Amino acid sequence: MNSQTIPDDRSYTEEHEWVLIAPGAGLPDAPVKVGITSVAASALGDLVYLDLPEVGASITAGETCGEVESTKTVSELYPPVSGTVTAINTAAVDDPALVTSDPYGEGWLFEVQATAAGNLLTAAEYTEKNEV
């Protein structure tokens, strides 16, 4: 079992993405950051490429919007919220290892001006489903 800490200041999806919206909170007016969890980062191993949605793209919660590629596999990204992409983390695109080393901080993937949320889990619910 992993002894990784899953931050409880954000919400999660069963597909191992997080969104910086506190559990139970409404959609904020400002764009929110989205990333993958430490569980996903550990499972994927060394990331070598990120295929992220473009700024201005409309994305829909639960529908693929990009990919993360590691030396082992390719994993699709399923956004936790619907809305318009307002920024991508160019530092992570340039150095995908940031996502593995700091998935909840410097390794965020993109920001979304959210218009709707998908099926979000609390840190405790995510941890329980993944036996972290």
Side-chain angles (χ1 to χ4, degrees):
M1 293 297 143
N2 289 320
S3 59
Q4 297 159 339
T5 302
I6 304 297
D8 60 7
D9 65 343
R10 60 199 70 201
S11 300
Y12 300 86
T13 69
E14 289 189 31
E15 290 81 23
H16 309 291
E17 281 84 21
W18 59 260
V19 60
L20 204 46
I21 298 175
L27 294 175
D29 292 333
V32 291
K33 286 187 170 131
V34 173
I36 62 170
T37 67
S38 55
V39 174
S42 294
L44 289 166
D46 293 330
L47 295 182
V48 294
Y49 180 71
L50 302 177
D51 177 19
L52 303 178
E54 294 181 11
V55 171
S58 291
I59 59 173
T60 302
E63 293 184 10
T64 61
C65 70
E67 295 176 337
V68 289
E69 188 174 327
S70 72
T71 53
K72 294 193 264 185
T73 186
V74 174
S75 182
E76 293 185 323
L77 292 172
Y78 298 93
V81 293
S82 299
T84 303
V85 176
T86 57
I88 61 167
N89 185 352
T90 54
V93 171
D94 292 342
D95 182 10
L98 277 175
V99 178
T100 308
S101 65
D102 191 10
Y104 301 111
E106 295 299 313
W108 62 275
L109 299 178
F110 54 90
E111 284 184 343
V112 180
Q113 183 66 55
T115 55
N119 184 21
L120 300 178
L121 307 173
T122 65
E125 290 166 336
Y126 178 79
T127 300
E128 186 176 310
K129 285 185 178 296
N130 293 284
E131 299 178 357
V132 174

